[in-house]
Amino acid sequence: MQALFDGSEESPEAGLGVVSGKLKLFNNETKAVPHIGWNNAATRTFTDNSLYGLRPHSKYYYVHSYARIVADAKELEGWDLATAKYGEEEFVGAISKGNIFATQFHPEKSGKAGLRVLKAFLTHERLSPLSSMATKIEEQAGFGGLTRRVIACLDVRTNDQGDLVVTKGDQYDVREKAAGGGVRNLGKPVEMAKKYYESGADEVTFLNITSFRNCPVRDVPMLEVLRKTSETVFVPLTIGGGIRDVVDTDGTTVSALEVATMYFKSGADKVSIGSDAVTAAEEYYQRGKTLSGTTAIEQISKAYGNQAVVVSVDPRRVYVSSPDSSSRNMIKTAFPGPNGEEYCWYQCTIKGGREGRDLDVQQLVQAVEAMGAGEILLNCIDKDGTNSGFDLELIQTVKNVIKIPVIASSGAGNPAHFQEVFEKTTTDAALGAGMVNST
C-alpha cells in the first residue's frame, strides 16, 4: 500500500504517486514503534457498507513504523478509506477506488477476518451491506485502537527417539523427574500450532531449544514445520533458536542472514535471537556504543526491517543490600531477597540461563534497540516454570528505557496473570508457554 503514495520519510525515493500524500513515522515519543499487533480497519467514508469484507468490530494484524496519517481527509477525496488509530494518530488501514484495493494491515496474517477480506477481493465483492448489528457495533466502538497481544509459545526439540515434539521446561529442564525420564512430549508442533490459532492466539512462536545440531542447514526440521504450519495458521509466526552464523555439515559457512532468509521463505514472519545478542551488546559497549554493521541483528533488520527481528532476553535478579553497592541499574523491589535485601538489578545470561554476563538488562535492551531490533521478548529466569505470574517490576523497568514493543514472558500460570500484566504494566504483549502447552 505504501508504494502507492507520493513518498515516505523512510526513503528519499519517490512513490508511485497514485494516491496523494507522504508517509510519516509514528510519534515514538508517546508509544512503541513499530506499531505491531491487532487494530481496526473501520470504514470512514460510509457506514452502511463493508469495503471488501472489512467489518468495524473485527481486528486486523499490522506491523509497520510509517503510515499515511489522515490529518486532512480532503487530500483523499474520491477514495474509500478504512482507518485505524494508534495513540492519537489516525492512519490509513486500507484504501480503495475503482480496481485498486490496498491494505496497510496483512490480511494473510489476520486470521478469519483477513481471509474474509481476501475472499471478497477475489470474488469482486467490493461493497456489501453491513448488518444493522454491525453498524450499531461500529457506532458504539468507534476506533478501538491497538489491542495487546496474547502469544502462544511452543518449545520444540527432538526427543530420545528422534521425533520432533513440543516439550515443557522446568527452569530449562525438559525431562521427566523420574529416573531415566525422557523428554516431555506434549504433542506435534504443527498440530499444536493449529490448535492455538483456532483457540484465538494472536501469534505463535516456535522456540527451537536444541537448534537441531548435526543436520544440514537447508534440511533442518523446523523449515518443514513452518511450511506445514503456514498452510493452516493465519497469524504471525516467530522462530527462535539457531539464528546465527553456522558451519554446515559440508564445511560451508552460512551467515545468520542466510539462516533467517530460509526461515522467512518457509513461512516465518519474525526471527528471535538470544545469546548472540548479548555478545553483540557487549561488543557494542566495548566500541563506545558504536555499531559494527556486521551483527545478525543489524544484517537481518537491514534486509527485512526491524519488525522482523525479536531479541530474546533472559535476565535474573541479583539482590544487593543498598543501591550504592553496585554501579548497575538498580530498582527498589517490593519483593526482598533471601536476606531481606530491598534492591536488585537484572543480570543478563546466555546459554539458556546457565551463564551470567557482566551486563544488566537495561544496557542490553538499549543496545539491541540501537542495532535495529524491533521487539524484545522479555523472559525472567526467576519466574520460569513457577506459574506464579510475570515479573511486573522487570517488565516495567524495561518498558521505561526503550521505545520498541516488549513481550512479557515467563511465569504465566493462569489467565488472571495475563490480565494482571496488562493492567499493571504497559507491556505490548504477553506470552505463555508452559501454561498453554499443558491445557
Side-chain angles (χ1 to χ4, degrees):
M1 187 201 78
Q2 293 191 4
L4 295 180
F5 289 90
D6 293 328
S8 173
E9 292 178 348
E10 186 175 10
S11 170
E13 298 175 359
L16 295 175
V18 176
V19 194
S20 65
K22 283 192 136 184
L23 299 139
K24 297 182 178 180
L25 179 69
F26 278 119
N27 180 359
N28 62 1
E29 296 299 324
T30 58
K31 52 191 176 290
V33 175
H35 168 249
I36 299 179
W38 298 77
N39 206 332
N40 299 87
T43 52
R44 195 177 194 275
T45 52
F46 47 86
T47 59
D48 57 346
N49 284 299
S50 167
L51 177 63
Y52 284 114
L54 292 172
R55 294 181 182 174
H57 55 287
S58 293
K59 294 286 186 177
Y60 304 90
Y61 186 79
Y62 293 84
V63 51
H64 58 123
S65 299
Y66 296 82
R68 174 58 167 92
I69 307 299
V70 184
D72 184 357
K74 291 182 179 179
E75 297 178 359
L76 297 170
E77 282 186 356
W79 291 88
D80 290 321
L81 302 179
T83 63
K85 273 192 174 181
Y86 190 33
E88 296 302 315
E89 294 179 289
E90 183 183 359
F91 66 93
V92 176
I95 190 165
S96 176
K97 182 172 69 172
N99 66 344
I100 297 173
F101 177 52
T103 67
Q104 179 63 71
F105 63 87
H106 292 256
E108 80 286 359
K109 294 295 177 180
S110 297
K112 294 180 179 178
L115 296 180
R116 184 173 59 243
V117 171
L118 290 173
K119 181 179 179 180
F121 176 74
L122 293 172
T123 55
H124 307 289
E125 297 176 14
R126 183 173 181 274
L127 297 179
S128 58
L130 283 168
S131 67
S132 58
M133 178 59 71
T135 303
K136 184 177 180 180
I137 291 172
E138 181 182 45
E139 292 171 349
Q140 293 175 342
F143 293 103
L146 184 69
T147 61
R148 296 204 268 183
R149 294 165 282 151
V150 175
I151 301 172
C153 181
L154 307 179
D155 292 336
V156 180
R157 65 158 291 166
T158 49
N159 62 13
D160 298 332
Q161 291 73 43
D163 299 321
L164 203 60
V165 300
V166 176
T167 188
K168 182 172 81 167
D170 180 10
Q171 296 287 344
Y172 296 95
D173 179 7
V174 298
R175 292 187 174 275
E176 301 289 357
K177 296 300 182 184
V183 173
R184 295 186 184 94
N185 182 353
L186 302 180
K188 296 180 179 180
V190 176
E191 293 176 359
M192 292 193 70
K194 182 181 178 182
K195 169 187 171 184
Y196 297 133
Y197 161 64
E198 292 175 344
S199 298
D202 295 318
E203 298 183 25
V204 174
T205 293
F206 291 108
L207 182 58
N208 174 357
I209 60 176
T210 53
S211 300
F212 306 120
R213 305 175 183 90
N214 305 316
C215 179
V217 174
R218 295 184 184 278
D219 294 322
V220 293
M222 189 54 73
L223 295 174
E224 186 62 18
V225 166
L226 289 167
R227 294 186 194 106
K228 293 293 186 182
T229 301
S230 297
E231 294 176 1
T232 57
V233 175
F234 301 103
V235 294
L237 303 175
T238 301
I239 172 67
I243 316 296
R244 60 172 67 92
D245 295 342
V246 297
V247 178
D248 208 345
T249 52
D250 62 0
T252 304
T253 299
V254 182
S255 71
L257 176 58
E258 291 174 299
V259 173
T261 297
M262 290 182 215
Y263 284 127
F264 291 139
K265 288 183 176 180
S266 297
D269 300 281
K270 300 183 253 187
V271 293
S272 179
I273 299 173
S275 295
D276 285 8
V278 178
T279 303
E282 291 171 335
E283 295 172 351
Y284 169 78
Y285 286 110
Q286 290 169 4
R287 292 190 301 269
K289 298 184 180 181
T290 301
L291 298 175
S292 70
T294 61
T295 65
I297 297 171
E298 292 169 89
Q299 292 186 57
I300 298 170
S301 64
K302 182 179 179 181
Y304 291 97
N306 64 347
Q307 82 289 335
V309 181
V310 181
V311 169
S312 180
V313 182
D314 292 318
R316 64 186 175 201
R317 287 189 172 215
V318 177
Y319 287 97
V320 295
S321 56
S322 73
D324 302 325
S325 59
S326 172
S327 60
R328 296 298 171 194
N329 289 295
M330 297 285 176
I331 68 165
K332 186 172 183 179
T333 177
F335 306 96
N339 298 312
E341 300 95 336
E342 295 183 349
Y343 295 88
C344 71
W345 64 281
Y346 287 95
Q347 180 188 36
C348 293
T349 69
I350 59 174
K351 300 178 181 178
R354 296 186 296 275
E355 181 181 319
R357 305 298 292 181
D358 189 23
L359 193 73
D360 64 48
V361 70
Q362 292 96 322
Q363 291 175 307
L364 174 58
V365 297
Q366 289 174 322
V368 298
E369 180 181 35
M371 293 176 202
E375 283 185 287
I376 299 296
L377 174 56
L378 185 58
N379 307 301
C380 178
I381 291 177
D382 307 289
K383 285 284 190 174
D384 186 69
T386 65
N387 295 329
S388 61
F390 298 96
D391 187 333
L392 306 182
E393 293 179 335
L394 168 63
I395 294 161
Q396 196 55 51
T397 293
V398 170
K399 278 293 297 180
N400 290 342
V401 298
I402 56 175
K403 296 178 179 178
I404 58 177
V406 171
I407 303 167
S409 179
S410 303
N414 60 65
H417 291 147
F418 287 85
Q419 181 177 352
E420 179 184 48
V421 75
F422 289 142
E423 289 179 347
K424 296 184 178 180
T425 77
T426 57
T427 189
D428 303 274
L431 177 147
M435 184 189 84
V436 299
N437 292 341
S438 59
T439 57

